[in-house]
Amino acid sequence: MSDFAGMEDLLQDFLTEASELLSEVDNKLVELEKRPQDRGLLNDIFRGFHTIKGGAGFLNVDSLVSLCHRTENLFDKLRNGELPLSPELLDVILAATASVRDMFGYMTQARLPGAADPALLAQLEAALAGETPAPLAVQAAAPAAVVTDVVATTAAEPVTLPVDASQLSTHQPGASEPDWATLLKVLTGEPILAAAAAASVKQASTPPAAALATTPLDIVAPLPAAEAPPMTAALAPAHLETSAGDEAKAVPAQSLRPSPAPAKGGAPQQLATQETTIRIDTVRLDQVLNLSGEIGLTKNRLTTLRTDILAGRTDANTLRAMDEAVSQLDLLVSDLQNAVMKTRMQPIGRLFQKYPRLARDLARQLGKDVELVINGEETELDKTMIEDLNDPLVHLVRNAVDHGIEVPADRIAAGKPPKCLVQLTATQVGDHILIEISDDGRGMRPDVIRRKAIEKGLIDMETANSLDEKQSLQLIFLPGFSTKDQISSVSGRGVGMDVVKTNIQKLNGRIDIVSVVGEGSRFSISLPLTLAILPVLVVKVCNQPFAVPLAMVREIIPIRTEAIQEVSGRATIVVRDEILAVRSLASLIGWTEERPPSFGVLMQSAEHSFVLAIDSFVGRDDVVIKPLQNIRPRGIAGATLSGDGSVVLVLDMEDLLETNYEETSEALKPRALID
Amino acid sequence: MSDKNMRFLVVDDFSTMRRIVRNLLKELGFTNVDEAEDGQVALHKLKNGQFEFVVTDWNMPNMSGIELLKAIRADASLKHLPVMMITAEAKKENIIEAATAGASGYIVKPFTAATLDEKLNKIFQNMNK
């Protein structure tokens, strides 16, 4: 049931535009913290809330109107100098922004959000009246964010609250004890009836205990705001911190146990639904239209020529005209492909703009002083890739703030300025996009990383000793790796970096690390511009064509059987003094070779190079991958059609190599040597 | 009574709001509508196009609605144009400010097609006097 019947289009427009606006407001709030007197900023933020209020009015979302109205009034006083901006006030404002975002979350699900948390409204009123807002529930926002995040990422297992309550109360003098006790109990899965009742001692009603009693994961959903305001207040802003993917993970967990939707307020279960609409510059759409028009004309020309040729007219002029028309079509179609691709391109800034607030909140919570500087936000990337990049980037930003940089005292001791610089940069390099996250923190020590990997049983001593510094840094991408001895509440669960790497690889991308001890670390992500069109090399084995991503191909070499040598049980070949493993494509896909391979494709995957042995090759091609329906064979990314109309399977090399590491060398060895 | 082909310029920095106003105007039969995202763009469009009616938001970056109104009234070729102000506030001082600057009408967000119709008709009547 939609609460916005008849207004769905308008709602969609509003949410898209207002969410962008809200992200801008968020960033300006972070800026405002640095320059509290900046009238331009105050004006912009005022206008942001004002505009959202105006739109919400037309959608009849009274709760949003009233929240924005109060916040807007506050900014009106701030910009007129009637009120000073105190850190406490800024906290209230940030909580209000979070609450607005929560309401957007409700509206995304076509539900009318309930009134904002009364405590928040009261604080806004108090601030408007010129009183210093009492630091109560809102202060608990930041640590609560961490808690929800942990809940979200660890899915079904019960979690213990990884933050010491006493430590918290020193950080958060205002957080009242019962709330934290309640939160702890909820998260550890203990029945919280008594605790929750204690928390809402001043309220008339008691929470419906059944819904709250057991599952820790349900905490986000079924806590009606009216009944337990301090807790809901603590959880609501948390959603600012949790990334889209985290929430997506949290959803199945919640759906295991259908929970009653809260009647009013509270935090929505899921804020991040995938955007299904896109905003496109009309110039780009016109281009698509023009090109399809021209293709239509060329098609007409071809139809006429076909009639001519079928009628037996095959003189030189007709054939030349035919050749011209086909060439023109060729050109137009590739132009059209490019133009269509461009309509999917979006500036990456839409993603980046969420991170300064993320970094600021996290840094504040950890007692660090961080400035996140963003460059190249206008760089464009395929829309789907932008969405899929959010998770890895959130993790890398958190990682930089949590692990990468030092606390101010350590920095001063090391002779660095107390304020850290984390830089997030996007640039287009050729047909690739390069995204870099660098910090000027303590850097990573290869020896420490190696030792940790051995301690955790991820690698053995022998392997560790054979790794150079660069390879050692790569160890952090192993599942289960975490260098912090104590699991920190922020990013130390060791569930992150391997997921980051897998996600980047899914986008046909690469991630590299450069780190200098004492000076900082830099993570570089290299991505193709789009996933829609993939340049491939078509190779043949056993007379069947296969496509491999061209991005991985370094060169093609002829292979003589006698050049293949066995080194420690593996087939290898020497290419310009470099010893490379030889993997036969036929055996990788589980076939038997009909004859010894004639060619090798020198391929570069994430960490290593190898030679893929094939029978012959057809050439390069730009293909559109069609995913296979219902079946997912190992190592096959999808299928495409070749120029002659036959089906070509596109290989997923990483997958193929991972599943076949041992068998390959075994399978190749005897045959290659016997033949 | 009013010419349904009348050319409108809707000025607002929030495209959702422009669309709302545009749809409401369409409901009333006015389909000849162009948009501008702030006062500056609006002024530029007004000077280059044959517009007959301006509907503008108050609060916008670069050039606000009230600044646009003042600029229109100060321009000999534009000063005859009817200008309706849209605002979220029903504050007395705002209405007075708009009236003194020469606004032809004033409408408070949110509004329905009926309210818009009523306000437009009032302006048309005044124009015909």
Side-chain angles (χ1 to χ4, degrees):
Chain A
M1 270 302 289
S2 171
D3 288 331
F4 295 93
M7 294 193 286
E8 285 84 3
D9 280 3
L10 182 59
L11 177 68
Q12 192 61 52
D13 278 9
F14 171 78
L15 286 174
T16 309
E17 202 179 6
S19 303
E20 265 172 47
L21 200 63
L22 192 65
S23 291
E24 274 168 36
V25 165
D26 250 342
N27 278 351
K28 292 203 164 124
L29 284 170
V30 175
E31 282 288 305
L32 191 67
E33 202 170 27
K34 291 174 219 151
R35 305 197 305 272
Q37 303 301 328
D38 193 317
R39 276 202 54 131
L41 278 176
L42 288 167
N43 252 329
D44 287 349
I45 299 168
F46 167 84
R47 198 165 46 239
F49 281 106
H50 181 84
T51 305
I52 294 171
K53 180 180 84 173
F58 278 94
L59 289 161
N60 303 319
V61 189
D62 297 338
S63 52
L64 187 51
V65 171
S66 102
L67 178 60
C68 286
H69 182 69
R70 284 180 168 84
T71 317
E72 175 196 326
N73 283 349
L74 202 54
F75 273 95
D76 196 28
K77 291 207 166 177
L78 286 170
R79 67 176 181 169
N80 293 331
E82 291 168 41
L83 271 179
L85 182 71
S86 64
E88 292 80 22
L89 187 55
L90 193 68
D91 278 336
V92 176
I93 293 163
L94 286 171
T97 326
S99 183
V100 169
R101 198 178 290 277
D102 283 344
M103 291 189 183
F104 285 177
Y106 268 101
M107 292 163 72
T108 310
Q109 302 170 347
R111 284 158 54 200
L112 205 58
D117 175 18
L120 176 60
L121 291 178
Q123 282 188 325
L124 286 170
E125 286 297 332
L128 273 170
E131 297 163 22
T132 310
L136 55 329
V138 179
Q139 285 282 15
V146 176
V147 172
T148 14
D149 188 39
V150 171
V151 174
T153 46
T154 50
E157 61 183 288
V159 282
T160 33
L161 186 61
V163 197
D164 181 341
S166 62
Q167 191 191 334
L168 262 170
S169 53
T170 57
H171 275 303
Q172 311 285 336
S176 53
E177 282 300 317
D179 301 351
W180 283 105
T182 313
L183 205 48
L184 179 71
K185 291 213 169 83
V186 171
L187 288 163
T188 48
E190 284 176 42
I192 62 149
L193 175 58
S200 56
V201 71
K202 289 201 179 88
Q203 305 293 319
S205 55
T206 341
L212 292 171
T214 46
T215 322
L217 289 156
D218 279 344
I219 181 67
V220 183
L223 257 186
E227 274 111 358
M231 280 216 19
T232 324
L235 283 166
H239 281 263
L240 258 185
E241 289 265 354
T242 38
S243 63
D246 288 343
E247 277 155 17
K249 278 179 217 145
V251 174
Q254 286 172 359
S255 60
L256 290 176
R257 160 188 262 265
S259 51
K264 290 187 132 213
Q269 297 100 318
Q270 186 193 10
L271 289 175
T273 31
Q274 284 251 324
E275 272 182 47
T276 47
T277 54
I278 188 167
R279 287 203 290 162
I280 302 168
D281 191 342
T282 42
V283 176
R284 291 187 176 178
L285 265 187
D286 289 347
Q287 218 176 354
V288 171
L289 202 67
N290 278 342
L291 283 165
S292 43
E294 282 191 45
I295 286 177
L297 292 178
T298 315
K299 187 209 77 183
N300 292 346
R301 178 92 187 100
L302 280 170
T303 315
T304 317
L305 285 166
R306 179 179 64 182
T307 318
D308 286 357
I309 291 169
L310 286 177
R313 223 171 306 154
T314 50
D315 57 288
N317 275 344
T318 314
L319 292 180
R320 197 177 312 121
M322 174 87 178
D323 181 47
E324 270 170 17
V326 171
S327 309
Q328 199 180 353
L329 193 65
D330 199 36
L331 213 65
L332 285 171
V333 167
S334 69
D335 280 357
L336 183 67
Q337 276 181 340
N338 276 329
V340 170
M341 202 177 83
K342 277 223 173 101
T343 61
R344 300 182 51 88
M345 300 298 254
Q346 300 273 299
I348 201 166
R350 287 185 56 196
L351 191 64
F352 280 6
Q353 65 180 355
K354 299 178 192 164
Y355 302 142
R357 169 86 189 260
L358 179 85
R360 174 236 173 239
D361 286 357
L362 191 57
R364 219 182 124 163
Q365 186 191 334
L366 295 167
K368 293 177 178 179
D369 192 0
V370 176
E371 178 164 12
L372 182 71
V373 177
I374 286 174
N375 287 307
E377 54 263 70
E378 71 288 344
T379 310
E380 292 193 324
L381 200 58
D382 193 287
K383 179 176 177 279
T384 40
M385 295 182 79
I386 288 186
E387 279 161 9
D388 292 343
L389 264 178
N390 183 51
D391 272 8
L393 288 183
V394 164
H395 195 91
L396 288 172
V397 170
R398 277 168 183 260
N399 202 62
V401 176
D402 188 24
H403 298 305
I405 59 180
E406 315 93 325
V407 290
D410 289 357
R411 289 182 63 91
I412 294 167
K416 294 183 184 178
K419 192 182 202 75
C420 310
L421 195 63
V422 175
Q423 293 196 70
L424 187 55
T425 311
T427 40
Q428 182 170 352
V429 183
D431 61 349
H432 275 71
I433 296 287
L434 188 67
I435 299 171
E436 292 189 327
I437 297 164
S438 58
D439 63 66
D440 60 352
R442 57 170 81 94
M444 288 185 277
R445 286 175 53 187
D447 53 322
V448 175
I449 290 171
R450 274 197 300 267
R451 204 179 65 228
K452 286 281 169 185
I454 298 170
E455 274 171 25
K456 292 187 184 286
L458 301 172
I459 52 167
D460 56 30
M461 189 71 87
E462 198 187 334
T463 322
N465 288 337
S466 70
L467 297 174
D468 62 22
E469 302 217 327
K470 206 175 149 89
Q471 287 167 324
S472 304
L473 293 183
Q474 293 280 341
L475 290 173
I476 67 164
F477 292 120
L478 289 176
F481 186 93
S482 173
T483 50
K484 279 227 166 155
D485 290 320
Q486 281 192 318
I487 288 175
S488 90
S489 58
V490 183
S491 54
R493 292 190 68 88
V495 289
M497 291 310 274
D498 62 314
V499 180
V500 168
K501 185 169 186 175
T502 330
N503 285 351
I504 300 288
Q505 281 177 340
K506 270 188 209 150
L507 298 170
N508 287 336
R510 266 185 26 212
I511 179 160
D512 291 311
I513 317 168
V514 180
S515 187
V516 180
V517 176
E519 287 178 24
S521 312
R522 186 174 72 226
F523 288 84
S524 317
I525 300 171
S526 168
L527 295 163
L529 275 177
T530 178
L531 292 178
I533 297 167
L534 183 74
V536 293
L537 176 74
V538 182
V539 300
K540 270 192 166 174
V541 87
C542 302
N543 231 356
Q544 161 123 13
F546 290 95
V548 292
L550 197 64
M552 293 176 73
V553 177
R554 264 168 53 189
E555 62 178 296
I556 299 170
I557 50 166
I559 294 188
R560 283 170 296 117
T561 313
E562 61 270 25
I564 298 178
Q565 290 165 346
E566 199 181 320
V567 177
S568 53
R570 288 187 182 147
T572 58
I573 192 166
V574 178
V575 182
R576 285 191 292 275
D577 298 334
E578 198 180 350
I579 302 171
L580 296 167
V582 179
R583 325 288 293 269
S584 149
L585 179 56
S587 55
L588 275 177
I589 54 178
W591 288 1
T592 313
E593 286 159 322
E594 290 166 350
R595 54 195 165 101
S598 328
F599 292 96
V601 183
L602 212 168
M603 302 192 81
Q604 170 104 46
S605 77
E607 298 106 73
H608 53 288
S609 303
F610 64 95
V611 172
L612 185 72
I614 53 164
D615 291 347
S616 63
F617 58 91
V618 181
R620 67 150 288 174
D621 207 353
D622 288 332
V623 301
V624 180
I625 300 186
K626 299 281 174 199
L628 299 174
Q629 300 271 320
N630 304 327
I631 48 162
R632 177 81 177 92
R634 277 193 326 193
I636 304 292
T640 188
L641 286 179
S642 74
D644 59 9
S646 61
V647 175
V648 178
L649 292 178
V650 182
L651 300 174
D652 179 344
M653 288 313 293
E654 297 286 345
D655 190 21
L656 209 54
L657 291 178
E658 244 169 59
T659 49
N660 279 288
Y661 198 81
E662 285 311 314
E663 304 129 61
T664 323
S665 47
E666 289 304 312
L668 187 75
K669 182 176 58 181
R671 221 166 290 120
L673 295 177
I674 290 163
D675 272 310
Chain B
M1 186 174 67
S2 52
D3 176 13
K4 293 293 179 194
N5 257 331
M6 186 175 248
R7 192 155 151 79
F8 278 78
L9 184 66
V10 175
V11 192
D12 199 308
D13 55 324
F14 198 52
S15 76
T16 311
M17 192 58 64
R18 292 199 298 270
R19 192 170 149 188
I20 291 171
V21 176
R22 205 187 177 124
N23 284 345
L24 291 173
L25 284 171
K26 202 166 130 194
E27 247 177 78
L28 300 175
F30 299 102
T31 49
N32 193 358
V33 181
D34 198 359
E35 301 177 8
E37 65 257 24
D38 64 39
Q40 267 173 18
V41 179
L43 204 57
H44 186 74
K45 285 203 171 184
L46 288 172
K47 283 181 179 163
N48 292 303
Q50 298 297 311
F51 288 96
E52 292 155 281
F53 205 110
V54 181
V55 181
T56 178
D57 186 30
W58 189 302
N59 218 311
M60 292 179 293
N62 300 327
M63 186 190 233
S64 72
I66 199 86
E67 284 162 352
L68 172 66
L69 175 60
K70 286 175 185 163
I72 289 173
R73 293 294 174 245
D75 188 308
S77 63
L78 300 175
K79 65 177 181 194
H80 64 281
L81 271 176
V83 179
M84 180 156 78
M85 302 285 298
I86 300 180
T87 133
E89 314 305 333
K91 281 188 208 147
K92 209 170 147 195
E93 56 265 36
N94 284 21
I95 301 178
I96 294 170
E97 191 184 354
T100 4
S104 323
Y106 189 95
I107 191 164
V108 179
K109 283 188 272 195
F111 48 85
T112 59
T115 323
L116 182 63
D117 194 29
E118 187 192 317
K119 298 265 179 185
L120 285 175
N121 282 330
K122 223 176 252 172
I123 296 175
F124 295 144
Q125 277 165 22
N126 289 337
M127 284 163 65
N128 293 336
K129 265 180 201 167

